[in-house]
Amino acid sequence: MKEKKRFNIKLLYRKSALMIYDIISIVAVSFLSLLFRFELHVSDIPPVYLHPVEKFLPISVVLSILLFYVFRLYHSLWAYAGEAELRNIAFASLASGVINFVGLQFFKEDLVAVPKSYYFFYVFLLICFLFISRFSYRFLRERKHKMINKDNDVIVMVIGAGEAANVIIKEIVNSHFSTMKIACIIDDDPGKKGKYIQGIKVEGDRSQILSCAIKYQVDEIIIAMPSAKPSAMKEILDICKETSCKLRSLPGMYQLVNGEVNISKLKDVEVEDLLGRDPISVDLDSILGYVKNQIILVTGGGGSIGSELCRQIASHQPKQLIIVDIYENSAYEIQQELKITHPDLDLVVLIASVRNTARMNYIFATYHPDIVYHAAAHKHVPLMEESPHEAIKNNVFGTYKVAKAAGENHVKRFVMISTDKAVNPTNIMGASKRICEMIVQTFDKRYDTEFVAVRFGNVLGSNGSVIPLFKKQIAEGGPVTVTHPDIIRYFMTIPEAVSLVLQAGAYAKGGEIFVLDMGEPVKILDLAKNLIKLSGYRVDEDIKITFTGLRPGEKLYEELLMDEEGLQDTNNKLIHIGKPIELDETNFIEQLDLLETASKDEASDIRKLVQKIVPTYHPKND
């Protein structure tokens, strides 16, 4: 309570000081206006003009102070004064001038009116006096801030000279807290070259980026091009990443439309931005058609793929969403997120292991899901090479038990998440996923459920992917570790991959292995270099890259199809169907029985058993 009282007294002191200043200003302006009218010669001012001004002055002061109050000249936070406050000063001064014009008509001597130029000078000078009092604090505060941070200035280049750039530049220029200092602007429009935005010059087009970065010693580049196409953004980024500057950008055009453009909306440029292609689009109507009002179950729902599946499914109005995961922390996180983003969603979160037959049977018998997305799996290649029995128990027999429960409980559709590592596998993880595909195709013939698998490559930013590892290594000052200079991988963002999985599920008729078109493969070394450059560092100078050698079970490149598989198109050119490979189902089931026993007994020859089931599996140590 005492603290509030002290604050009010301090505020009262400030208002009182401003009022005293304004009273002095009105008195001074009243006489200065006459002085200016007679070219600063005091002796030339006739008494017939001076006396009316003197007589009306007390009334002018009182009425003007009341006007200033009405126009909120004592209510604004002048440290953040802007156009609105300047407009109020102008209107208040003009209103005070009108009062003087009307009032002095009643005080004129010998019917001689005060010269009309007096009122012009009065309004002009009053605006100046009020402006100085209100904006000087802001000016002095800005100067103090700049002096304190002169050695900490972040020199910034802005790319783009449109509305978004104008908003960002204005906020940076007017900020009391930002240490950013905008040095120049770049824009490809030749008509903008040499022009100024908020006092900052547009130096030229993208060809000037490198030279301007050196000329102005730029620390950070802000790309204010929210409506730019991905291909255009990639071209700009390819130039910017050679500057050793930190790169940041606006997330998208909708931020500008919604008036949300500000410094806080800037994001670090990510490797995804260098893919240089339009975001993958899907037929949302086909997804809605088979997800809406259905009971959906997602295993591994807390993982990177599983959680994104849950997000996208939740937005398509399912009747109920059931998340199954063995890891309680990740399950809890997606549960809390969906409670906030979809408060009306009928959400069930269950902690369970896909290895537990009784638990899976209970869940399916209790909740009767219509569609199942099976994303639960061990995916980390080197770790599974060290623990092959766990890969078999979790991936193969976890899939077997979930799929069997789905078939026996008349689930309409079962979609398993597979991987490109299942093609000609050299590691136990890939081989285990290939067996999972075989299970799915076998069960499709035994049950009414439509069993399908969706195969794709790496996703950017997923758990265990190289991007989070590279970022962590860069944050720690390096080195960034790459297994081999020639290793390549297919990449897609998590939301893109999941949206295609959902649409592939809509195309399912049963028994298909859907193969997602991952675009052009990317060299991991290029990925590492780009991420270092995007972070504002120089490769092998600030951050070193070291090669550690291929890890156990790792290949230089991954394939999406096997030689035996054909390729059939779907309505989405990015989703293809691999022709099912014929197999002896009776022999396959017998081999699975032997494999299950071997995995439980920790048999040393488990890789040989896997090889009998998957002839294309060739372990590196064989």
Side-chain angles (χ1 to χ4, degrees):
M1 199 64 149
K2 290 181 180 179
E3 186 177 346
K4 185 177 180 182
K5 187 176 181 181
R6 283 199 301 271
F7 175 78
N8 289 337
I9 291 174
K10 188 176 181 180
L11 195 62
L12 181 62
Y13 284 158
R14 287 182 178 177
K15 286 186 177 181
S16 300
L18 272 178
M19 285 184 181
I20 293 169
Y21 174 89
D22 290 344
I23 292 170
I24 295 171
S25 297
I26 295 166
V27 173
V29 165
S30 298
F31 291 106
L32 281 173
S33 299
L34 281 175
L35 196 59
F36 273 52
R37 166 63 179 78
F38 290 97
E39 299 178 353
L40 302 179
H41 295 112
V42 178
S43 58
D44 290 347
I45 303 176
V48 71
Y49 295 155
L50 186 60
H51 292 160
V53 171
E54 290 176 340
K55 291 176 182 177
F56 183 68
L57 187 57
I59 300 173
S60 175
V61 168
V62 173
L63 293 179
S64 293
I65 294 297
L66 289 174
L67 274 174
F68 294 171
Y69 192 86
V70 170
F71 279 95
R72 299 175 179 268
L73 299 193
Y74 303 114
H75 298 79
S76 297
L77 292 172
W78 294 102
Y80 307 101
E83 293 177 10
E85 286 75 19
L86 183 58
R87 191 164 51 246
N88 286 342
I89 287 174
F91 286 146
S93 300
L94 184 61
S96 180
V98 171
I99 286 175
N100 269 266
F101 176 78
V102 174
L104 287 174
Q105 306 306 312
F106 297 99
F107 289 88
K108 57 186 177 183
E109 294 182 357
D110 300 329
L111 301 178
V112 179
V114 174
K116 292 180 180 178
S117 58
Y118 166 84
Y119 304 108
F120 170 78
F121 285 123
Y122 179 89
V123 172
F124 174 75
L125 290 172
L126 189 57
I127 289 175
C128 292
F129 272 69
L130 295 180
F131 177 86
I132 290 170
S133 66
R134 267 62 178 183
F135 283 81
S136 59
Y137 176 72
R138 172 177 169 169
F139 174 76
L140 292 172
R141 178 172 174 160
E142 287 176 356
R143 293 304 302 170
K144 180 182 177 182
H145 174 73
K146 288 180 179 178
M147 288 297 293
I148 292 173
N149 294 286
K150 65 180 180 179
D151 295 327
N152 301 318
D153 279 345
V154 176
I155 309 300
V156 174
M157 174 194 295
V158 175
I159 297 180
E163 183 60 32
N166 179 54
V167 175
I168 287 292
I169 292 168
K170 183 177 179 181
E171 183 172 355
I172 292 173
V173 168
N174 295 332
S175 174
H176 300 300
F177 305 104
S178 174
T179 59
M180 293 181 179
K181 181 180 179 181
I182 301 176
C184 62
I185 302 170
I186 298 293
D187 195 280
D188 285 338
D189 185 350
K192 294 178 180 178
K193 183 177 180 179
K195 302 294 194 301
Y196 290 81
I197 297 179
Q198 305 287 330
I200 314 298
K201 186 178 180 181
V202 180
E203 293 284 349
D205 59 21
R206 67 182 67 179
S207 65
Q208 303 296 313
I209 292 175
L210 295 178
S211 59
C212 286
I214 296 171
K215 176 182 176 182
Y216 294 105
Q217 297 181 314
V218 174
D219 301 306
E220 186 169 312
I221 296 176
I222 294 176
I223 302 172
M225 299 165 54
S227 60
K229 292 183 178 180
S231 56
M233 178 68 90
K234 181 181 184 300
E235 291 173 4
I236 295 291
L237 290 175
D238 283 340
I239 299 172
C240 292
K241 71 184 184 183
E242 302 303 325
T243 63
S244 299
C245 299
K246 182 178 180 182
L247 305 182
R248 295 210 283 173
S249 68
L250 289 173
M253 189 63 191
Y254 77 94
Q255 303 279 358
L256 179 60
V257 174
N258 293 341
E260 299 176 8
V261 175
N262 54 52
I263 296 175
S264 65
K265 297 296 180 183
L266 291 173
K267 69 178 183 70
D268 289 346
V269 173
E270 302 285 357
V271 174
E272 292 95 316
D273 299 312
L274 289 170
L275 292 177
R277 55 171 171 76
D278 292 323
I280 290 172
S281 59
V282 299
D283 180 6
L284 293 178
D285 291 334
S286 68
I287 295 174
L288 282 169
Y290 86 100
V291 170
K292 187 176 181 180
N293 296 324
Q294 301 292 302
I295 300 173
I296 314 294
L297 185 147
V298 180
T299 68
S304 51
I305 297 296
S307 62
E308 182 62 25
L309 273 168
C310 293
R311 291 183 191 97
Q312 295 196 27
I313 291 168
S315 65
H316 293 145
Q317 300 175 288
K319 181 178 180 181
Q320 186 179 55
L321 176 58
I322 304 161
I323 298 175
V324 176
D325 205 299
I326 189 61
Y327 303 108
E328 61 181 69
N329 291 338
S330 56
Y332 175 78
E333 286 178 9
I334 188 63
Q335 178 190 48
Q336 296 308 304
E337 178 185 332
L338 293 179
K339 279 184 177 180
I340 295 171
T341 56
H342 300 281
D344 298 327
L345 175 67
D346 185 354
L347 179 64
V348 177
V349 179
L350 303 173
I351 302 302
S353 171
V354 294
R355 301 183 187 189
N356 189 329
T357 305
R359 179 70 167 146
M360 289 299 106
N361 290 338
Y362 171 81
I363 290 172
F364 277 82
T366 302
Y367 294 97
H368 305 289
D370 298 302
I371 302 170
V372 173
Y373 289 95
H374 179 50
H378 287 326
K379 304 179 181 74
H380 201 280
V381 170
L383 289 180
M384 292 304 98
E385 287 300 289
E386 294 296 326
S387 305
H389 302 86
E390 296 306 304
I392 298 303
K393 292 174 190 173
N394 199 71
N395 294 358
V396 174
F397 294 103
T399 297
Y400 185 95
K401 292 171 182 179
V402 175
K404 189 175 182 182
E408 291 177 348
N409 287 276
H410 309 291
V411 169
K412 295 176 184 176
R413 191 166 296 167
F414 182 98
V415 182
M416 188 202 81
I417 307 301
S418 190
T419 171
D420 56 359
K421 295 176 179 62
V423 181
N424 298 321
T426 57
N427 53 71
I428 197 71
M429 195 284 284
S432 70
K433 295 298 279 187
R434 176 58 194 145
I435 297 175
C436 292
E437 292 178 353
M438 296 164 72
I439 291 171
V440 164
Q441 291 185 320
T442 300
F443 278 19
D444 183 67
K445 298 175 182 178
R446 297 190 169 196
Y447 297 100
D448 293 334
T449 302
E450 295 170 345
F451 286 92
V452 299
V454 181
R455 187 191 291 166
F456 55 89
N458 298 272
V459 285
L460 291 167
S462 64
N463 294 333
S465 73
V466 295
I467 302 299
L469 173 63
F470 286 169
K471 286 183 176 179
K472 181 175 182 292
Q473 290 174 335
I474 291 169
E476 293 172 350
V480 171
T481 57
V482 178
T483 56
H484 193 283
D486 297 324
I487 192 168
I488 62 171
R489 289 292 182 266
Y490 292 93
F491 281 102
M492 188 179 284
T493 65
I494 294 175
E496 286 176 331
V498 167
S499 65
L500 287 177
V501 167
L502 287 170
Q503 191 168 5
Y507 293 153
K509 291 184 173 64
E512 302 99 334
I513 294 179
F514 290 96
V515 180
L516 303 190
D517 187 340
M518 303 292 290
E520 293 298 317
V522 178
K523 286 186 72 172
I524 301 299
L525 177 58
D526 292 341
L527 206 62
K529 288 180 178 179
N530 287 333
L531 200 54
I532 291 170
K533 291 175 180 177
L534 292 178
S535 302
Y537 298 108
R538 292 166 294 183
V539 178
D540 288 332
E541 292 184 40
D542 302 319
I543 303 288
K544 299 283 186 183
I545 294 179
T546 59
F547 298 104
T548 58
L550 291 176
R551 298 173 297 179
E554 193 170 43
K555 292 194 290 185
L556 281 178
Y557 65 95
E558 303 291 354
E559 306 140 284
L560 292 173
L561 276 176
M562 294 196 295
D563 292 336
E564 305 98 303
E565 295 172 320
L567 200 63
Q568 178 185 337
D569 292 333
T570 66
N571 291 334
N572 189 323
K573 63 181 181 180
L574 296 174
I575 303 175
H576 309 285
I577 301 174
K579 182 181 178 182
I581 299 172
E582 295 299 324
L583 57 90
D584 185 335
E585 294 180 21
T586 303
N587 183 53
F588 175 56
I589 297 299
E590 290 174 356
Q591 288 176 319
L592 285 181
D593 289 339
L594 292 174
L595 185 63
E596 184 174 23
T597 301
S599 66
K600 291 178 178 178
D601 294 343
E602 299 289 321
S604 59
D605 61 346
I606 194 165
R607 284 186 171 87
K608 291 181 179 179
L609 287 173
V610 171
Q611 205 167 7
K612 288 181 180 179
I613 302 174
V614 184
T616 56
Y617 170 45
H618 298 290
K620 283 292 182 75
N621 56 0
D622 272 13

